[in-house]
């Protein structure tokens, strides 16, 4: 209840009077029985006499009001128009052709930001700004009539960050990201993205972390915690089951509740519970017939009721639209359904959505109580933002420090896939290197689309090796440089007109003949050959010339390897890629393979650090590299049907995604999940479980010793095998992991990993519960999913119902997902 004293007007001094008079009028109107006692306002039983002591009525600044009370007052005072203004974003500059004029917002102050929330001046509610993305802040580097620059740091892409498996390091990366967000005047970073890498061809896999939900969730939680430690928000995305780009606005994902809960939702659950992101972004796709942005099951039942999410949900940009072209036909998202589902904020927001929402509110089709809940959450969000707190941002983030952070993170995310006879490190700076591959010279920082970053400069591999003091074959450099530059210029030109969603092309390789390779092999000590791949938002990758190497690349590798090996010289392949490629057919031709991913703006330095041995590689794969694409469990269900224009995609592989499939069905991969080499060796010893019988939890301790000659870090992985009596389950699943500190030769560290009841459980649909089967559980700790080093058993005496939930998102078209019928 709110009551107030109408005499307060006399206490308000001009000009505030004019500003706040309407607030008071609205407040009074909103309060039945507002009386004339000497009290200003009473909320939830508390009464306030002189909130206008300073001559101004501003509930936001009254220290005796709790945030909730302030919010309650403001919502009561808002007109329907004002409510709608706050529920719909302020538009996205540059899309006016599609939508008509978009709103006026603070985005003008941060050009290049993706969107924001509206200002409601009379309540003192400022416009807030949200901007992409997962590999760094995406804003425009220049402003009109302004000589200053606003470059942001391009950090390694999500996959590269995840490959570090290093939660502490990623917290630091998060802090650096948050510093740029805050100092450039942005309130929320639209990141991280943590969808499951269900299929290697997803064009946005580079933004995501893993085929495994534990890694995805833990990595996301660290990054969110790091970013939010700076007092700015995050938006974990895209919730949920957004695992491909083909027809992403309309694709209907058919997936079992078990696979949803165990894989596609699990990472989000971990991130929400361990980091409370300020916001969650619902995805574009449908799940079992419902747009995720209009799914009460997802946004209210799961996210809030089950997981305790406290922040706001925003749509993805135009989420819930039946295709972009629908805008011009006047078809927009079902805003009433989105609001009711618990999708608080509609982004980027277009006039037609405002109109529809206002009509629904005015007619009563959409209940006030529903939007008031959404508004309450949006206001609580606004209240936390730096903008609300009038933070004086400097436009001077710590770019030099952040460059150092990205350089180290990128190096730590690199995965050494092969290293015959210690080909790497190659520390000899006197001997000449032949640097092949157009990508060595036209280095790929990160993928395209909203996940791209406007960084000032990218360090190519050429530049990285040069600045590390390596001697390079100059003839090659002189040939390759103009060759690469010309192609890059043409590529930029062709993408210019297509805007942010322009997909990247692939650069061609230079034609060289055998005699030329022979000459290089004569004079150089070693060959480095970079293979590059790029992809981006809005399109999936393809098998030919993308997942598989192009003919010219195979030939190049083959010829180089023939020429160099004939002279006893070595060949190193460097992979500057954002997603999985085929490696099995050519890996025997090279001596070493360094998977550098798309490592951000300092990439060339990071690779040089690893090559020189300054950094001992300690990254491991967070996904499987299959022998061939068709081995991928989702290959026959990607991107969906009908093939010409997919509408539906069925996740028939169920929970058997990635290593869960390969290892259970004994399909040999090229490189397995969890794999990665080091310049040193580690010994695993003394695995001990805290108990022989599982009670509330069990801990496993193991000692890792560096038995090699150089310092290094090891990623320790705990896989659990369940009894497999009545519950169909993958042969083993990753349930915990840790990274050692930098261990010097001979040094050891004891790692302790914990198993909770839910780690033992599977989701049993017919019981709508997480159940752990009674029996013997096998704990395997090792250096990859196929390389257990030590194992121990424990017993669960009685079946455990770990958690009972409500059923969600039933299938619209029943299908049976893959089972392990052994
Ligand atoms: C992407 C989101 C992004 C948003 C704003 C959408 O197209 O899917 O990931 O945050 O645009 O740029």
């Amino acid at each position: 209840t709110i009551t107030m004293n109408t005499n307060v007007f006399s206490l308000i001094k001009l000009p505030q009077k004019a500003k706040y008079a309407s607030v008071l009028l609205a407040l009074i109107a909103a309060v039945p029985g507002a009386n004339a006692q000497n009290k200003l306002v009473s909320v939830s039983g508390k009464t306030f006499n002189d909130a206008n002591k300073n001559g101004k009525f501003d509930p936001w600044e009254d220290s005796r009001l709790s945030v909730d009370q302030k919010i309650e007052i403001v919502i009561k005072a808002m007109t329907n128009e004002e409510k709608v203004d706050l529920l719909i974003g302020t538009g996205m500059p540059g899309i006016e052709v599609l939508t008509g004029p978009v709103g006026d917002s603070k985005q003008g102050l941060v050009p290049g930001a993706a969107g924001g929330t509206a200002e409601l001046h009379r309540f003192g509610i400022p416009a807030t700004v949200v901007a992409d993305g997962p590999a760094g802040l995406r804003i425009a580097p220049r402003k009109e009539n302004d000589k200053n620059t606003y470059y942001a740091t391009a950090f390694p892409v999500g996959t590269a960050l995840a490959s570090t498996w290093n939660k502490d390091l990623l917290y630091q990366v998060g802090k650096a990201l948050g510093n740029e967000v805050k100092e450039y005047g942005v309130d929320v970073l639209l990141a991280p993205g943590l969808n499951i890498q269900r299929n290697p061809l997803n064009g946005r896999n580079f933004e995501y972390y893993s085929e495994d939900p534990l890694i995805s969730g833990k990595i996301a939680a660290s990054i969110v915690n790091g970013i939010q430690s700076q007092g700015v928000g995050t938006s974990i995305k895209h919730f949920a089951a957004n695992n491909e780009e083909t027809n992403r606005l309309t694709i209907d994902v058919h997936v079992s509740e078990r696979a949803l809960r165990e894989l596609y939702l699990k990472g989000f659950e971990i991130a929400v519970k361990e980091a409370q992101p300020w916001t969650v972004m619902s995805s574009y796709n449908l799940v079992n017939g419902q747009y995720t942005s209009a799914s009460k099951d997802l946004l209210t039942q799961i996210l809030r009721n089950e997981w305790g999410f406290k922040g706001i949900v925003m749509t993805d940009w135009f989420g819930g639209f039946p295709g972009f072209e629908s805008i011009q036909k006047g078809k927009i998202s079902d805003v009433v359904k989105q609001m009711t589902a618990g999708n608080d904020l509609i982004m980027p927001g277009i006039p037609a959505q405002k109109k529809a929402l206002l009509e629904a509110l005015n007619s009563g089709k959409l209940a006030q109580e529903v939007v008031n809940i959404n508004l309450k959450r949006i206001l609580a969000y606004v209240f936390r933002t730096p903008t609300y707190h009038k933070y004086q941002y400097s436009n001077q983030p710590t770019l030099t420090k952040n460059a150092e952070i990205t350089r180290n993170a990128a190096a730590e995310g690199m995965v050494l896939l092969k290293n015959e006879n210690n080909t790497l490190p190659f520390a000899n700076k006197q001997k000449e290197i032949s640097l092949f591959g157009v990508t060595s010279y036209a280095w790929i920082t990160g993928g395209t689309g909203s996940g791209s970053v406007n960084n000032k400069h990218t360090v190519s591999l050429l530049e990285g090796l040069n600045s590390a003091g390596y001697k390079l074959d100059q003839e090659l450099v002189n040939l390759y440089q103009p060759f690469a530059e010309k192609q890059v210029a043409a590529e930029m030109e062709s993408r210019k007109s297509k805007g942010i969603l322009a997909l990247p092309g692939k650069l061609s390789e230079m034609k060289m003949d055998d005699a030329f390779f022979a000459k290089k092999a004569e004079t150089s000590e070693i060959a480095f050959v970079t293979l590059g791949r790029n992809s981006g938002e809005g399109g999936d990758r393809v098998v030919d010339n993308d997942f598989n190497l192009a003919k010219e690349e195979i030939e190049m590798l083959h010829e180089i390897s023939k020429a160099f090996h004939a002279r006893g010289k070595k060949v190193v392949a460097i992979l500057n890629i954002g997603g999985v490629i085929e490696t099995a057919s050519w890996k025997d031709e090279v001596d070493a393979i360094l998977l550098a991913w798309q490592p951000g703006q300092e990439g060339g330095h990071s690779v040089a650090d690893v090559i020189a041995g300054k950094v001992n590689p300690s990254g491991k794969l967070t996904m499987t590299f299959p022998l061939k694409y068709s081995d991928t469990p989702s290959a026959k269900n990607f991107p969906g049907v009908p093939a010409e224009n997919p509408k539906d995609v069925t996740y028939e592989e169920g929970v058997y995604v990635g290593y869960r499939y390969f290892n259970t069905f004994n399909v040999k991969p090229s490189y397995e999940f969890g794999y990665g080499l080091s310049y040193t060796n580690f010994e695993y010893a003394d695995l001990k479980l805290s108990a022989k019988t599982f009670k509330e939890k069990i801990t496993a301790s193991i000692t890792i010793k560096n038995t090699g000659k150089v310092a290094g870090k090891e990623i320790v992985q705990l896989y659990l095998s369940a009894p497999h009596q009545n519950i169909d389950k993958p042969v083993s699943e990753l349930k915990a992991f840790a990274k050692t500190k930098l261990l010097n030769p001979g040094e050891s560290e004891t790692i302790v990993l914990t198993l909770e009841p839910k780690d033992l459980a599977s989701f049993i649909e017919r019981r709508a519960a997480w159940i752990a089967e009674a029996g013997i559980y096998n704990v395997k700790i090792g250096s990859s999913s196929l390389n257990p080093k030590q194992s121990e058993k424990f017993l669960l005496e009685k079946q455990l119902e770990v958690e009972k939930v409500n059923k969600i998102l039933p299938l619209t078209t029943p299908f049976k997902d893959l089972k392990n019928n052994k």
Side-chain angles (χ1 to χ4, degrees), residues 114 132 138 204 237-238 248 281 284 316-317 450 537:
D132 291 304
R138 186 173 64 85
R204 275 185 105 170
K237 66 191 189 183
H238 308 87
R248 62 182 176 151
M281 188 187 292
Y284 284 131
D316 196 347
W317 272 229
S450 65
E537 179 179 346

Side-chain angles (χ1 to χ4, degrees), residues 358-418:
L358 186 60
E359 278 168 13
L361 258 184
N362 285 340
S363 69
K365 190 178 158 210
L366 177 60
Q368 290 286 343
E369 298 78 68
V370 169
V371 296
N372 289 352
I373 295 174
N374 304 106
L375 284 165
K376 200 173 158 188
R377 294 193 282 242
I378 294 176
L379 286 168
Y381 147 74
V382 172
F383 211 72
R384 312 167 86 162
T385 58
T387 295
Y388 176 80
H389 293 285
K390 302 193 174 59
Y391 178 71
Q392 296 298 310
Y393 54 92
S394 62
N395 277 324
Q396 281 171 348
T398 53
L399 293 177
T400 312
K401 183 173 157 207
N402 297 353
E404 198 55 34
I405 292 176
T406 181
R407 176 177 179 160
N408 294 336
E412 188 154 337
M414 290 181 189
V415 186
L416 185 62
L417 294 177
K418 177 172 181 178

Side-chain angles (χ1 to χ4, degrees), residues 329-553:
K329 294 185 200 137
K331 283 202 200 128
I332 55 166
S333 65
D334 187 339
V335 286
V336 171
K337 224 171 158 195
Q338 289 175 319
M339 283 294 138
T340 316
N343 198 118
D344 311 296
L345 180 62
I346 293 188
M347 294 303 273
I350 66 168
Q353 286 174 309
K354 270 196 183 168
K355 190 162 162 266
L357 196 56
L358 186 60
E359 278 168 13
L361 258 184
N362 285 340
S363 69
K365 190 178 158 210
L366 177 60
Q368 290 286 343
E369 298 78 68
V370 169
V371 296
N372 289 352
I373 295 174
N374 304 106
L375 284 165
K376 200 173 158 188
R377 294 193 282 242
I378 294 176
L379 286 168
Y381 147 74
V382 172
F383 211 72
R384 312 167 86 162
T385 58
T387 295
Y388 176 80
H389 293 285
K390 302 193 174 59
Y391 178 71
Q392 296 298 310
Y393 54 92
S394 62
N395 277 324
Q396 281 171 348
T398 53
L399 293 177
T400 312
K401 183 173 157 207
N402 297 353
E404 198 55 34
I405 292 176
T406 181
R407 176 177 179 160
N408 294 336
E412 188 154 337
M414 290 181 189
V415 186
L416 185 62
L417 294 177
K418 177 172 181 178
N419 198 21
E420 287 297 297
N421 304 316
N422 300 324
T423 302
L424 293 177
F426 179 78
N428 193 332
K429 307 230 164 129
Q430 308 313 316
K431 301 257 168 98
E432 201 173 77
I433 301 170
S434 273
L435 186 59
F436 293 102
V438 66
T439 315
S440 302
Y441 303 83
W443 190 253
I444 302 165
T445 324
T448 63
S450 65
S452 62
V453 181
N454 297 309
N455 57 306
K456 189 168 180 188
H457 175 70
T458 290
V459 178
S460 68
L461 183 53
L462 171 70
E463 188 183 335
L465 292 173
N466 270 333
S467 90
Y470 280 103
K471 199 166 144 197
L472 301 175
D473 178 283
Q474 277 310 312
E475 188 187 12
L476 272 178
V477 173
N478 294 339
L479 283 171
Y480 263 114
Q481 259 188 316
F483 175 78
E485 273 163 22
K486 205 167 137 208
Q487 288 196 67
V488 170
E491 156 98 4
M492 301 290 266
E493 192 52 39
S494 83
R495 290 176 51 187
K496 215 152 88 191
S497 61
K498 296 180 201 135
I500 183 76
L501 293 184
L503 289 171
K506 190 168 157 321
L507 307 188
S508 306
E509 288 302 340
M510 200 153 74
K511 301 268 169 291
M512 293 161 278
D513 61 19
D514 285 2
F516 184 80
F517 289 126
K519 191 169 94 186
K520 295 299 135 197
E522 230 21 89
T523 52
S524 286
E525 176 69 13
I526 193 165
F528 289 176
V529 191
T530 303
L531 298 171
R533 287 291 181 279
N534 207 356
S535 71
E537 179 179 346
D540 288 317
R541 296 170 55 209
V542 291
V543 177
D544 292 340
N545 299 329
D546 190 344
F547 180 85
N548 288 339
L549 298 201
K551 195 164 160 261
E552 58 173 15
E553 291 170 317

